[in-house]
Amino acid sequence: MIKLNEEQTKEIVGQFQQYQQQLQAILIQKETMQMQLMEITKALEELETTKNDKAYKITGQIMVIKPVEELKKELGETKEVIEVRIGSLEKTEEKVTGRLKELETELRKLVK
């Protein structure tokens, strides 16, 4: 077993806490993105079933009428961006979780 001094131990604990906070922020961002994705998916489903050729879009504090096809295109592009962002967050989440596990193992060794 490797013997660490008190300063090294504090550094590992600090890193562990930083990674925990980072993971928490990632999970919140991911959840927000997933909710946006669900909303966009539902909006796209509604636009698919409408018989109208125009629909309203809320922009800031006003509603504007736009062609349904234009709205579908905008929502589709936004959906793609969000899906890429979620994928990126998931990769970062994996890395942070892996590092947390490594630090946890180190901390467990120190406690023994």
mmCIF file of all heavy atoms in Angstrom, residues 23-64:
data_model
loop_
_atom_site.group_PDB
_atom_site.id
_atom_site.type_symbol
_atom_site.label_atom_id
_atom_site.label_comp_id
_atom_site.label_asym_id
_atom_site.label_seq_id
_atom_site.Cartn_x
_atom_site.Cartn_y
_atom_site.Cartn_z
ATOM 1 N N LEU A 23 -19.870 16.268 -12.506
ATOM 2 C CA LEU A 23 -20.824 15.239 -12.915
ATOM 3 C C LEU A 23 -22.253 15.716 -12.679
ATOM 4 O O LEU A 23 -23.126 15.526 -13.530
ATOM 5 C CB LEU A 23 -20.569 13.933 -12.168
ATOM 6 C CG LEU A 23 -21.493 12.768 -12.510
ATOM 7 C CD1 LEU A 23 -21.379 12.405 -13.991
ATOM 8 C CD2 LEU A 23 -21.176 11.560 -11.644
ATOM 9 N N GLN A 24 -22.481 16.352 -11.549
ATOM 10 C CA GLN A 24 -23.816 16.857 -11.237
ATOM 11 C C GLN A 24 -24.253 17.899 -12.279
ATOM 12 O O GLN A 24 -25.388 17.868 -12.757
ATOM 13 C CB GLN A 24 -23.832 17.464 -9.839
ATOM 14 C CG GLN A 24 -25.206 17.818 -9.336
ATOM 15 C CD GLN A 24 -25.179 18.263 -7.874
ATOM 16 O OE1 GLN A 24 -24.169 18.770 -7.383
ATOM 17 N NE2 GLN A 24 -26.275 18.072 -7.182
ATOM 18 N N ALA A 25 -23.346 18.796 -12.662
ATOM 19 C CA ALA A 25 -23.662 19.813 -13.672
ATOM 20 C C ALA A 25 -23.959 19.160 -15.026
ATOM 21 O O ALA A 25 -24.905 19.564 -15.724
ATOM 22 C CB ALA A 25 -22.506 20.797 -13.802
ATOM 23 N N ILE A 26 -23.197 18.142 -15.372
ATOM 24 C CA ILE A 26 -23.408 17.428 -16.634
ATOM 25 C C ILE A 26 -24.777 16.763 -16.632
ATOM 26 O O ILE A 26 -25.514 16.837 -17.624
ATOM 27 C CB ILE A 26 -22.292 16.385 -16.867
ATOM 28 C CG1 ILE A 26 -20.972 17.089 -17.164
ATOM 29 C CG2 ILE A 26 -22.664 15.419 -17.988
ATOM 30 C CD1 ILE A 26 -19.759 16.177 -17.087
ATOM 31 N N LEU A 27 -25.126 16.118 -15.530
ATOM 32 C CA LEU A 27 -26.414 15.428 -15.446
ATOM 33 C C LEU A 27 -27.580 16.409 -15.551
ATOM 34 O O LEU A 27 -28.598 16.104 -16.186
ATOM 35 C CB LEU A 27 -26.498 14.610 -14.157
ATOM 36 C CG LEU A 27 -25.537 13.421 -14.067
ATOM 37 C CD1 LEU A 27 -25.599 12.785 -12.693
ATOM 38 C CD2 LEU A 27 -25.815 12.403 -15.161
ATOM 39 N N ILE A 28 -27.438 17.585 -14.964
ATOM 40 C CA ILE A 28 -28.488 18.604 -15.054
ATOM 41 C C ILE A 28 -28.619 19.083 -16.498
ATOM 42 O O ILE A 28 -29.739 19.197 -17.018
ATOM 43 C CB ILE A 28 -28.195 19.775 -14.085
ATOM 44 C CG1 ILE A 28 -28.384 19.317 -12.644
ATOM 45 C CG2 ILE A 28 -29.082 20.985 -14.396
ATOM 46 C CD1 ILE A 28 -27.863 20.289 -11.605
ATOM 47 N N GLN A 29 -27.486 19.355 -17.149
ATOM 48 C CA GLN A 29 -27.521 19.787 -18.554
ATOM 49 C C GLN A 29 -28.149 18.714 -19.435
ATOM 50 O O GLN A 29 -28.956 19.011 -20.317
ATOM 51 C CB GLN A 29 -26.109 20.075 -19.061
ATOM 52 C CG GLN A 29 -25.500 21.335 -18.525
ATOM 53 C CD GLN A 29 -24.073 21.512 -19.035
ATOM 54 O OE1 GLN A 29 -23.619 20.831 -19.955
ATOM 55 N NE2 GLN A 29 -23.349 22.431 -18.425
ATOM 56 N N LYS A 30 -27.760 17.471 -19.187
ATOM 57 C CA LYS A 30 -28.280 16.357 -19.987
ATOM 58 C C LYS A 30 -29.790 16.223 -19.807
ATOM 59 O O LYS A 30 -30.528 16.042 -20.787
ATOM 60 C CB LYS A 30 -27.565 15.064 -19.590
ATOM 61 C CG LYS A 30 -27.890 13.874 -20.458
ATOM 62 C CD LYS A 30 -26.996 12.707 -20.063
ATOM 63 C CE LYS A 30 -27.761 11.439 -19.990
ATOM 64 N NZ LYS A 30 -26.986 10.298 -19.527
ATOM 65 N N GLU A 31 -30.262 16.334 -18.574
ATOM 66 C CA GLU A 31 -31.695 16.238 -18.316
ATOM 67 C C GLU A 31 -32.453 17.369 -19.009
ATOM 68 O O GLU A 31 -33.512 17.146 -19.604
ATOM 69 C CB GLU A 31 -31.949 16.283 -16.807
ATOM 70 C CG GLU A 31 -33.411 16.098 -16.438
ATOM 71 C CD GLU A 31 -33.643 16.098 -14.935
ATOM 72 O OE1 GLU A 31 -32.706 15.843 -14.172
ATOM 73 O OE2 GLU A 31 -34.788 16.349 -14.543
ATOM 74 N N THR A 32 -31.900 18.579 -18.964
ATOM 75 C CA THR A 32 -32.515 19.723 -19.637
ATOM 76 C C THR A 32 -32.602 19.477 -21.145
ATOM 77 O O THR A 32 -33.643 19.720 -21.766
ATOM 78 C CB THR A 32 -31.708 21.007 -19.354
ATOM 79 O OG1 THR A 32 -31.670 21.231 -17.945
ATOM 80 C CG2 THR A 32 -32.317 22.212 -20.035
ATOM 81 N N MET A 33 -31.521 18.994 -21.707
ATOM 82 C CA MET A 33 -31.491 18.704 -23.150
ATOM 83 C C MET A 33 -32.492 17.604 -23.512
ATOM 84 O O MET A 33 -33.154 17.673 -24.536
ATOM 85 C CB MET A 33 -30.087 18.282 -23.588
ATOM 86 C CG MET A 33 -29.061 19.346 -23.499
ATOM 87 S SD MET A 33 -29.248 20.480 -24.871
ATOM 88 C CE MET A 33 -28.122 21.748 -24.397
ATOM 89 N N GLN A 34 -32.595 16.591 -22.669
ATOM 90 C CA GLN A 34 -33.530 15.505 -22.946
ATOM 91 C C GLN A 34 -34.975 15.999 -22.898
ATOM 92 O O GLN A 34 -35.800 15.569 -23.705
ATOM 93 C CB GLN A 34 -33.312 14.350 -21.972
ATOM 94 C CG GLN A 34 -32.033 13.589 -22.265
ATOM 95 C CD GLN A 34 -31.663 12.568 -21.204
ATOM 96 O OE1 GLN A 34 -31.969 12.725 -20.028
ATOM 97 N NE2 GLN A 34 -30.965 11.517 -21.624
ATOM 98 N N MET A 35 -35.264 16.923 -21.972
ATOM 99 C CA MET A 35 -36.618 17.491 -21.917
ATOM 100 C C MET A 35 -36.902 18.322 -23.165
ATOM 101 O O MET A 35 -37.984 18.237 -23.741
ATOM 102 C CB MET A 35 -36.791 18.340 -20.650
ATOM 103 C CG MET A 35 -36.881 17.493 -19.397
ATOM 104 S SD MET A 35 -37.320 18.327 -17.841
ATOM 105 C CE MET A 35 -36.544 19.887 -17.906
ATOM 106 N N GLN A 36 -35.910 19.095 -23.610
ATOM 107 C CA GLN A 36 -36.078 19.873 -24.840
ATOM 108 C C GLN A 36 -36.303 18.947 -26.030
ATOM 109 O O GLN A 36 -37.136 19.226 -26.900
ATOM 110 C CB GLN A 36 -34.857 20.760 -25.090
ATOM 111 C CG GLN A 36 -34.737 21.921 -24.152
ATOM 112 C CD GLN A 36 -33.466 22.733 -24.395
ATOM 113 O OE1 GLN A 36 -32.625 22.376 -25.222
ATOM 114 N NE2 GLN A 36 -33.313 23.811 -23.656
ATOM 115 N N LEU A 37 -35.552 17.863 -26.058
ATOM 116 C CA LEU A 37 -35.683 16.894 -27.141
ATOM 117 C C LEU A 37 -37.088 16.295 -27.166
ATOM 118 O O LEU A 37 -37.692 16.159 -28.236
ATOM 119 C CB LEU A 37 -34.628 15.796 -26.995
ATOM 120 C CG LEU A 37 -34.534 14.778 -28.114
ATOM 121 C CD1 LEU A 37 -34.210 15.440 -29.446
ATOM 122 C CD2 LEU A 37 -33.467 13.741 -27.781
ATOM 123 N N MET A 38 -37.619 15.970 -25.990
ATOM 124 C CA MET A 38 -38.977 15.421 -25.922
ATOM 125 C C MET A 38 -40.002 16.444 -26.425
ATOM 126 O O MET A 38 -40.932 16.092 -27.160
ATOM 127 C CB MET A 38 -39.318 14.988 -24.493
ATOM 128 C CG MET A 38 -38.614 13.733 -24.065
ATOM 129 S SD MET A 38 -38.935 13.103 -22.378
ATOM 130 C CE MET A 38 -40.010 14.250 -21.612
ATOM 131 N N GLU A 39 -39.833 17.705 -26.042
ATOM 132 C CA GLU A 39 -40.747 18.755 -26.480
ATOM 133 C C GLU A 39 -40.699 18.933 -27.991
ATOM 134 O O GLU A 39 -41.737 19.064 -28.644
ATOM 135 C CB GLU A 39 -40.406 20.081 -25.783
ATOM 136 C CG GLU A 39 -40.733 20.100 -24.312
ATOM 137 C CD GLU A 39 -40.237 21.348 -23.608
ATOM 138 O OE1 GLU A 39 -39.662 22.249 -24.278
ATOM 139 O OE2 GLU A 39 -40.421 21.437 -22.381
ATOM 140 N N ILE A 40 -39.512 18.926 -28.546
ATOM 141 C CA ILE A 40 -39.361 19.088 -29.996
ATOM 142 C C ILE A 40 -39.958 17.900 -30.727
ATOM 143 O O ILE A 40 -40.650 18.063 -31.731
ATOM 144 C CB ILE A 40 -37.873 19.287 -30.368
ATOM 145 C CG1 ILE A 40 -37.420 20.669 -29.905
ATOM 146 C CG2 ILE A 40 -37.644 19.111 -31.859
ATOM 147 C CD1 ILE A 40 -35.938 20.914 -30.032
ATOM 148 N N THR A 41 -39.703 16.710 -30.216
ATOM 149 C CA THR A 41 -40.260 15.504 -30.835
ATOM 150 C C THR A 41 -41.786 15.558 -30.839
ATOM 151 O O THR A 41 -42.427 15.251 -31.851
ATOM 152 C CB THR A 41 -39.762 14.245 -30.101
ATOM 153 O OG1 THR A 41 -38.323 14.222 -30.159
ATOM 154 C CG2 THR A 41 -40.316 12.979 -30.717
ATOM 155 N N LYS A 42 -42.361 15.977 -29.722
ATOM 156 C CA LYS A 42 -43.823 16.094 -29.626
ATOM 157 C C LYS A 42 -44.340 17.160 -30.599
ATOM 158 O O LYS A 42 -45.351 16.953 -31.275
ATOM 159 C CB LYS A 42 -44.217 16.439 -28.176
ATOM 160 C CG LYS A 42 -45.691 16.469 -27.944
ATOM 161 C CD LYS A 42 -46.293 15.091 -28.065
ATOM 162 C CE LYS A 42 -47.775 15.142 -27.716
ATOM 163 N NZ LYS A 42 -48.514 14.026 -28.260
ATOM 164 N N ALA A 43 -43.642 18.281 -30.693
ATOM 165 C CA ALA A 43 -44.047 19.339 -31.622
ATOM 166 C C ALA A 43 -43.983 18.844 -33.065
ATOM 167 O O ALA A 43 -44.891 19.118 -33.868
ATOM 168 C CB ALA A 43 -43.165 20.574 -31.439
ATOM 169 N N LEU A 44 -42.938 18.118 -33.394
ATOM 170 C CA LEU A 44 -42.822 17.559 -34.749
ATOM 171 C C LEU A 44 -43.950 16.577 -35.044
ATOM 172 O O LEU A 44 -44.501 16.557 -36.145
ATOM 173 C CB LEU A 44 -41.456 16.886 -34.941
ATOM 174 C CG LEU A 44 -40.280 17.837 -35.158
ATOM 175 C CD1 LEU A 44 -38.961 17.083 -35.048
ATOM 176 C CD2 LEU A 44 -40.387 18.535 -36.511
ATOM 177 N N GLU A 45 -44.302 15.763 -34.063
ATOM 178 C CA GLU A 45 -45.413 14.819 -34.231
ATOM 179 C C GLU A 45 -46.716 15.580 -34.503
ATOM 180 O O GLU A 45 -47.500 15.194 -35.367
ATOM 181 C CB GLU A 45 -45.569 13.939 -32.987
ATOM 182 C CG GLU A 45 -44.477 12.909 -32.821
ATOM 183 C CD GLU A 45 -44.524 12.188 -31.473
ATOM 184 O OE1 GLU A 45 -45.468 12.426 -30.666
ATOM 185 O OE2 GLU A 45 -43.610 11.385 -31.215
ATOM 186 N N GLU A 46 -46.934 16.652 -33.756
ATOM 187 C CA GLU A 46 -48.143 17.464 -33.953
ATOM 188 C C GLU A 46 -48.159 18.099 -35.340
ATOM 189 O O GLU A 46 -49.199 18.145 -35.996
ATOM 190 C CB GLU A 46 -48.242 18.556 -32.874
ATOM 191 C CG GLU A 46 -48.531 18.031 -31.494
ATOM 192 C CD GLU A 46 -49.897 17.360 -31.369
ATOM 193 O OE1 GLU A 46 -50.862 17.811 -32.014
ATOM 194 O OE2 GLU A 46 -49.989 16.372 -30.623
ATOM 195 N N LEU A 47 -46.999 18.595 -35.773
ATOM 196 C CA LEU A 47 -46.925 19.212 -37.099
ATOM 197 C C LEU A 47 -47.170 18.190 -38.207
ATOM 198 O O LEU A 47 -47.701 18.533 -39.267
ATOM 199 C CB LEU A 47 -45.578 19.912 -37.298
ATOM 200 C CG LEU A 47 -45.378 21.195 -36.507
ATOM 201 C CD1 LEU A 47 -43.940 21.695 -36.656
ATOM 202 C CD2 LEU A 47 -46.365 22.274 -36.930
ATOM 203 N N GLU A 48 -46.775 16.950 -37.969
ATOM 204 C CA GLU A 48 -47.003 15.895 -38.961
ATOM 205 C C GLU A 48 -48.493 15.601 -39.136
ATOM 206 O O GLU A 48 -48.933 15.233 -40.218
ATOM 207 C CB GLU A 48 -46.261 14.611 -38.575
ATOM 208 C CG GLU A 48 -44.768 14.671 -38.749
ATOM 209 C CD GLU A 48 -44.321 14.848 -40.195
ATOM 210 O OE1 GLU A 48 -44.989 14.330 -41.112
ATOM 211 O OE2 GLU A 48 -43.292 15.513 -40.395
ATOM 212 N N THR A 49 -49.252 15.743 -38.063
ATOM 213 C CA THR A 49 -50.674 15.382 -38.124
ATOM 214 C C THR A 49 -51.586 16.553 -38.505
ATOM 215 O O THR A 49 -52.756 16.337 -38.792
ATOM 216 C CB THR A 49 -51.155 14.813 -36.770
ATOM 217 O OG1 THR A 49 -50.988 15.804 -35.762
ATOM 218 C CG2 THR A 49 -50.390 13.551 -36.406
ATOM 219 N N THR A 50 -51.037 17.776 -38.529
ATOM 220 C CA THR A 50 -51.880 18.922 -38.843
ATOM 221 C C THR A 50 -52.237 18.958 -40.331
ATOM 222 O O THR A 50 -51.454 18.565 -41.180
ATOM 223 C CB THR A 50 -51.223 20.254 -38.417
ATOM 224 O OG1 THR A 50 -52.167 21.302 -38.605
ATOM 225 C CG2 THR A 50 -49.987 20.568 -39.231
ATOM 226 N N LYS A 51 -53.430 19.424 -40.585
ATOM 227 C CA LYS A 51 -53.877 19.573 -41.974
ATOM 228 C C LYS A 51 -53.655 21.010 -42.450
ATOM 229 O O LYS A 51 -53.836 21.311 -43.611
ATOM 230 C CB LYS A 51 -55.346 19.192 -42.076
ATOM 231 C CG LYS A 51 -55.595 17.710 -41.791
ATOM 232 C CD LYS A 51 -57.056 17.375 -41.946
ATOM 233 C CE LYS A 51 -57.463 15.971 -41.665
ATOM 234 N NZ LYS A 51 -56.576 14.963 -41.308
ATOM 235 N N ASN A 52 -53.256 21.870 -41.531
ATOM 236 C CA ASN A 52 -52.996 23.272 -41.868
ATOM 237 C C ASN A 52 -51.651 23.404 -42.564
ATOM 238 O O ASN A 52 -50.753 22.591 -42.368
ATOM 239 C CB ASN A 52 -52.988 24.137 -40.606
ATOM 240 C CG ASN A 52 -54.321 24.110 -39.886
ATOM 241 O OD1 ASN A 52 -55.369 24.015 -40.517
ATOM 242 N ND2 ASN A 52 -54.280 24.174 -38.567
ATOM 243 N N ASP A 53 -51.524 24.452 -43.349
ATOM 244 C CA ASP A 53 -50.236 24.689 -44.006
ATOM 245 C C ASP A 53 -49.416 25.734 -43.249
ATOM 246 O O ASP A 53 -48.277 25.992 -43.585
ATOM 247 C CB ASP A 53 -50.422 25.097 -45.468
ATOM 248 C CG ASP A 53 -51.223 26.374 -45.638
ATOM 249 O OD1 ASP A 53 -51.914 26.775 -44.696
ATOM 250 O OD2 ASP A 53 -51.152 26.976 -46.728
ATOM 251 N N LYS A 54 -50.029 26.323 -42.203
ATOM 252 C CA LYS A 54 -49.317 27.287 -41.366
ATOM 253 C C LYS A 54 -49.591 26.967 -39.906
ATOM 254 O O LYS A 54 -50.614 26.401 -39.561
ATOM 255 C CB LYS A 54 -49.760 28.712 -41.684
ATOM 256 C CG LYS A 54 -49.354 29.123 -43.092
ATOM 257 C CD LYS A 54 -49.421 30.591 -43.285
ATOM 258 C CE LYS A 54 -49.016 30.853 -44.726
ATOM 259 N NZ LYS A 54 -48.453 32.117 -44.945
ATOM 260 N N ALA A 55 -48.639 27.355 -39.053
ATOM 261 C CA ALA A 55 -48.781 27.139 -37.612
ATOM 262 C C ALA A 55 -48.089 28.289 -36.890
ATOM 263 O O ALA A 55 -47.313 29.035 -37.484
ATOM 264 C CB ALA A 55 -48.166 25.804 -37.204
ATOM 265 N N TYR A 56 -48.379 28.403 -35.614
ATOM 266 C CA TYR A 56 -47.776 29.469 -34.820
ATOM 267 C C TYR A 56 -46.506 28.981 -34.145
ATOM 268 O O TYR A 56 -46.403 27.841 -33.729
ATOM 269 C CB TYR A 56 -48.756 29.954 -33.749
ATOM 270 C CG TYR A 56 -49.893 30.760 -34.324
ATOM 271 C CD1 TYR A 56 -51.117 30.159 -34.604
ATOM 272 C CD2 TYR A 56 -49.739 32.109 -34.595
ATOM 273 C CE1 TYR A 56 -52.169 30.885 -35.140
ATOM 274 C CE2 TYR A 56 -50.778 32.862 -35.132
ATOM 275 C CZ TYR A 56 -51.993 32.246 -35.402
ATOM 276 O OH TYR A 56 -53.017 32.972 -35.939
ATOM 277 N N LYS A 57 -45.577 29.920 -34.033
ATOM 278 C CA LYS A 57 -44.325 29.654 -33.330
ATOM 279 C C LYS A 57 -44.138 30.783 -32.326
ATOM 280 O O LYS A 57 -44.330 31.952 -32.658
ATOM 281 C CB LYS A 57 -43.151 29.636 -34.308
ATOM 282 C CG LYS A 57 -41.806 29.525 -33.640
ATOM 283 C CD LYS A 57 -40.671 29.647 -34.647
ATOM 284 C CE LYS A 57 -39.345 29.587 -33.910
ATOM 285 N NZ LYS A 57 -38.217 29.768 -34.815
ATOM 286 N N ILE A 58 -43.775 30.421 -31.099
ATOM 287 C CA ILE A 58 -43.516 31.443 -30.086
ATOM 288 C C ILE A 58 -42.048 31.855 -30.203
ATOM 289 O O ILE A 58 -41.144 31.027 -30.132
ATOM 290 C CB ILE A 58 -43.817 30.911 -28.668
ATOM 291 C CG1 ILE A 58 -45.293 30.563 -28.556
ATOM 292 C CG2 ILE A 58 -43.387 31.930 -27.616
ATOM 293 C CD1 ILE A 58 -45.674 29.890 -27.264
ATOM 294 N N THR A 59 -41.859 33.153 -30.424
ATOM 295 C CA THR A 59 -40.515 33.717 -30.528
ATOM 296 C C THR A 59 -40.418 34.853 -29.520
ATOM 297 O O THR A 59 -41.057 35.881 -29.696
ATOM 298 C CB THR A 59 -40.250 34.241 -31.952
ATOM 299 O OG1 THR A 59 -40.477 33.196 -32.883
ATOM 300 C CG2 THR A 59 -38.831 34.740 -32.095
ATOM 301 N N GLY A 60 -39.657 34.627 -28.476
ATOM 302 C CA GLY A 60 -39.591 35.639 -27.417
ATOM 303 C C GLY A 60 -40.941 35.751 -26.747
ATOM 304 O O GLY A 60 -41.468 34.785 -26.229
ATOM 305 N N GLN A 61 -41.527 36.946 -26.826
ATOM 306 C CA GLN A 61 -42.823 37.160 -26.194
ATOM 307 C C GLN A 61 -43.941 37.341 -27.218
ATOM 308 O O GLN A 61 -45.024 37.809 -26.874
ATOM 309 C CB GLN A 61 -42.753 38.360 -25.257
ATOM 310 C CG GLN A 61 -41.812 38.114 -24.103
ATOM 311 C CD GLN A 61 -41.926 39.178 -23.028
ATOM 312 O OE1 GLN A 61 -42.731 40.082 -23.118
ATOM 313 N NE2 GLN A 61 -41.126 39.048 -21.996
ATOM 314 N N ILE A 62 -43.672 36.951 -28.469
ATOM 315 C CA ILE A 62 -44.716 37.065 -29.491
ATOM 316 C C ILE A 62 -44.910 35.729 -30.196
ATOM 317 O O ILE A 62 -44.047 34.859 -30.150
ATOM 318 C CB ILE A 62 -44.384 38.161 -30.539
ATOM 319 C CG1 ILE A 62 -43.077 37.828 -31.284
ATOM 320 C CG2 ILE A 62 -44.309 39.531 -29.904
ATOM 321 C CD1 ILE A 62 -42.814 38.713 -32.477
ATOM 322 N N MET A 63 -46.056 35.602 -30.822
ATOM 323 C CA MET A 63 -46.330 34.412 -31.633
ATOM 324 C C MET A 63 -46.329 34.845 -33.090
ATOM 325 O O MET A 63 -46.931 35.855 -33.439
ATOM 326 C CB MET A 63 -47.688 33.813 -31.268
ATOM 327 C CG MET A 63 -47.691 33.127 -29.928
ATOM 328 S SD MET A 63 -49.315 32.504 -29.420
ATOM 329 C CE MET A 63 -49.751 31.413 -30.726
ATOM 330 N N VAL A 64 -45.648 34.104 -33.920
ATOM 331 C CA VAL A 64 -45.607 34.378 -35.355
ATOM 332 C C VAL A 64 -46.152 33.189 -36.106
ATOM 333 O O VAL A 64 -45.974 32.044 -35.691
ATOM 334 C CB VAL A 64 -44.174 34.671 -35.847
ATOM 335 C CG1 VAL A 64 -43.888 36.124 -35.997
ATOM 336 C CG2 VAL A 64 -43.117 34.023 -35.017
#
